[in-house]
Amino acid sequence: MQRSYNIDSLHSDIMKGKPVVLFVGTGIHYAPGLLDLSWNKTLNYLLRKALAYMCGENNIPPNVLDTIMSTLSLHSKDADPDNPDWVNLYEARNARMSPMVMASIIKHIFKGNYLSELQYFLYKDEPAEIIRRTFERYYALEKGKTTAGEVPQLFTLYQLARFILLYPVKAIVSYNYDNLLTEATDILYKDRSKYFTEEELQVLEQRPFNKHRERMILVEIHNNIDSNESHKDIIPVYHPHGYVPPPYKVMREGSEGIVLSMEEYYDSTKDVFSWQTATQEHLLCHYTCILAGLSLNDITIQRMLRYAGHYGNADKIYYMGALSHRNIRDMKYETAYRALMGILASFYTSYGLVLVSSDSYHTLYNDFGKIINEYCIKFNDYGTE
């Protein structure tokens, strides 16, 4: 099987033990039919809640709301793409209500008080338990298995959690509102004898955080940075778009810390001295960075990459991506999709990124996992920390 494109460059940097910073988006824990906290899914949920509230106040019938909501996706259960009138409504809604406008409408209707709804959406299906069951099913050393033709779920999340535990990751920048990367890492660490080989456990024993025996110490940072959160035995998880804790944890502040609407994006970008801007710029300019689960449509990461490209970075910024589409079968459209990805790849290169890609995300992160395995062997032979 052909190795992932540019994987050798990433392999070289990891084997050298270069300090790495992870930049992650919602793609890291996307699992069709199992877990979907994507930006579009989040917005659609909040918009339905907001419009339902607005329709109730304005005596708009529920069936009208359902028709409006059907235009949010061509794949929604109520979509009617064979009906010209539905198509016209879909195109009109799509042209006038971009995702950023949708977010601003949500904020306007809820008057900024949407945090409880956002928290409910993120954690209503108990995603940490979904991750625990999925990891145990597919990745436990004694029990992990797949049936013929089955692709194991949450493979990207699993490999990134392994990487955080086994490699000297300097920091994590998460554009997600949730704590699921931390949860995934805790799951592996608490049951490490179930998931790690003897060689990998030897590496874990040498990690600085290992004095905290019960859990891996990842600290979610979403407001002012505390100097106590920079100790070598913790890994900071910066949330430049804000952080919504699970229901069993106390929320220290309201939705003013969340970046969702156009206004909030503008406010976050105009403060060039904010900790969010300063932290991202510093990390992108001074460390080897790996971007995972990100579409790069976010203006925040675009702005940060533009800055890093202008001022330069002696180390590489890797962008993990797949060249094929899992749902396209016709070769004509698969070829067109690959050409489109090639155009995007040249755009990413102009931002100073090194594209690491393969035909599928599973192949890509399988190759990434092999690098982690090699690093553990080298660590036990020579030590690098």
Side-chain angles (χ1 to χ4, degrees), residues 190-314:
K190 288 176 181 177
D191 286 327
R192 46 196 177 276
S193 61
K194 183 187 297 184
Y195 292 102
F196 294 103
T197 64
E198 288 297 325
E199 292 77 11
E200 292 167 343
L201 289 173
Q202 291 177 35
V203 176
L204 272 177
E205 284 296 319
Q206 301 302 315
R207 295 305 308 281
F209 55 75
N210 196 51
K211 66 181 182 180
H212 303 279
R213 294 287 176 176
E214 293 304 315
R215 63 183 299 270
M216 168 67 174
I217 303 300
L218 271 68
V219 177
E220 316 287 347
I221 298 175
H222 54 99
N223 203 336
N224 294 323
I225 299 178
D226 189 329
S227 60
N228 292 326
E229 294 171 338
S230 60
H231 295 167
K232 68 176 183 178
D233 59 344
I234 69 108
I235 298 177
V237 183
Y238 300 106
H239 290 268
H241 288 171
Y243 170 61
V244 180
Y248 59 83
K249 292 189 176 182
V250 176
M251 283 190 283
R252 297 179 181 177
E253 56 195 34
S255 57
E256 65 270 12
I258 301 297
V259 178
L260 179 75
S261 66
M262 285 190 299
E263 298 86 352
E264 290 156 344
Y265 269 95
Y266 298 152
D267 289 342
S268 70
T269 57
K270 71 181 181 182
D271 185 0
V272 296
F273 300 109
S274 68
W275 73 261
Q276 294 94 331
T277 296
T279 300
Q280 292 178 84
E281 289 176 350
H282 172 74
L283 296 175
L284 283 168
C285 289
H286 294 89
Y287 293 96
T288 297
C289 298
I290 299 176
L291 278 57
L294 289 166
S295 68
L296 299 187
N297 290 332
D298 190 310
I299 59 175
T300 301
I301 186 63
Q302 288 182 19
R303 184 168 61 97
M304 296 299 105
L305 289 172
R306 184 69 176 176
Y307 177 92
H310 178 72
Y311 287 96
N313 184 344

Side-chain angles (χ1 to χ4, degrees), residues 121-252:
F121 170 77
L122 294 174
Y123 299 106
K124 61 184 173 64
D125 296 322
E126 299 185 1
E129 179 61 19
I130 291 174
I131 293 169
R132 188 196 64 77
R133 291 198 306 266
T134 304
F135 279 11
E136 186 168 343
R137 174 183 177 184
Y138 293 115
Y139 309 121
L141 295 179
E142 295 184 1
K143 297 173 62 177
K145 59 185 181 298
T146 58
T147 59
E150 182 183 18
V151 177
Q153 297 271 46
L154 296 175
F155 189 57
T156 299
L157 183 64
Y158 166 70
Q159 292 290 12
L160 290 176
R162 285 185 70 231
F163 184 63
I164 292 166
L165 286 166
L166 296 171
Y167 189 82
V169 173
K170 183 70 175 179
I172 300 164
V173 176
S174 174
Y175 297 101
N176 304 333
Y177 303 124
D178 59 72
N179 73 335
L180 297 188
L181 182 56
T182 297
E183 294 280 9
T185 307
D186 278 349
I187 288 167
L188 293 186
Y189 188 64
K190 288 176 181 177
D191 286 327
R192 46 196 177 276
S193 61
K194 183 187 297 184
Y195 292 102
F196 294 103
T197 64
E198 288 297 325
E199 292 77 11
E200 292 167 343
L201 289 173
Q202 291 177 35
V203 176
L204 272 177
E205 284 296 319
Q206 301 302 315
R207 295 305 308 281
F209 55 75
N210 196 51
K211 66 181 182 180
H212 303 279
R213 294 287 176 176
E214 293 304 315
R215 63 183 299 270
M216 168 67 174
I217 303 300
L218 271 68
V219 177
E220 316 287 347
I221 298 175
H222 54 99
N223 203 336
N224 294 323
I225 299 178
D226 189 329
S227 60
N228 292 326
E229 294 171 338
S230 60
H231 295 167
K232 68 176 183 178
D233 59 344
I234 69 108
I235 298 177
V237 183
Y238 300 106
H239 290 268
H241 288 171
Y243 170 61
V244 180
Y248 59 83
K249 292 189 176 182
V250 176
M251 283 190 283
R252 297 179 181 177

Side-chain angles (χ1 to χ4, degrees), residues 1 61 154 176 223 232 338 341 343 359:
M1 183 179 294
L154 296 175
N176 304 333
N223 203 336
K232 68 176 183 178
R338 286 175 175 270
M341 292 301 101
I343 294 169
D359 282 346

Side-chain angles (χ1 to χ4, degrees), residues 34-64:
L34 187 67
L35 187 60
D36 183 1
L37 301 179
S38 63
W39 171 246
N40 285 338
K41 198 84 170 182
T42 303
L43 278 186
N44 289 354
Y45 172 82
L46 292 175
L47 186 66
R48 173 174 281 278
K49 289 290 184 178
L51 291 182
Y53 174 78
M54 189 175 187
C55 288
E57 283 198 335
N58 293 277
N59 297 319
I60 299 175
N63 65 305
V64 175

Side-chain angles (χ1 to χ4, degrees), residues 51-150:
L51 291 182
Y53 174 78
M54 189 175 187
C55 288
E57 283 198 335
N58 293 277
N59 297 319
I60 299 175
N63 65 305
V64 175
L65 173 61
D66 291 339
T67 302
I68 294 172
M69 294 303 299
S70 75
T71 66
L72 295 180
S73 171
L74 288 170
H75 305 291
S76 67
K77 62 182 180 63
D78 297 320
D80 191 9
D82 295 327
N83 185 331
D85 289 333
W86 183 90
V87 172
N88 288 331
L89 179 62
Y90 169 82
E91 291 177 346
R93 199 278 315 156
N94 202 40
R96 291 169 172 79
M97 194 183 291
S98 69
M100 292 295 288
V101 172
M102 286 168 56
S104 294
I105 291 172
I106 292 166
K107 181 182 179 182
H108 171 72
I109 294 175
F110 281 128
K111 296 179 172 57
N113 299 314
Y114 50 77
L115 195 58
S116 60
E117 289 289 356
L118 180 55
Q119 183 186 58
Y120 176 78
F121 170 77
L122 294 174
Y123 299 106
K124 61 184 173 64
D125 296 322
E126 299 185 1
E129 179 61 19
I130 291 174
I131 293 169
R132 188 196 64 77
R133 291 198 306 266
T134 304
F135 279 11
E136 186 168 343
R137 174 183 177 184
Y138 293 115
Y139 309 121
L141 295 179
E142 295 184 1
K143 297 173 62 177
K145 59 185 181 298
T146 58
T147 59
E150 182 183 18

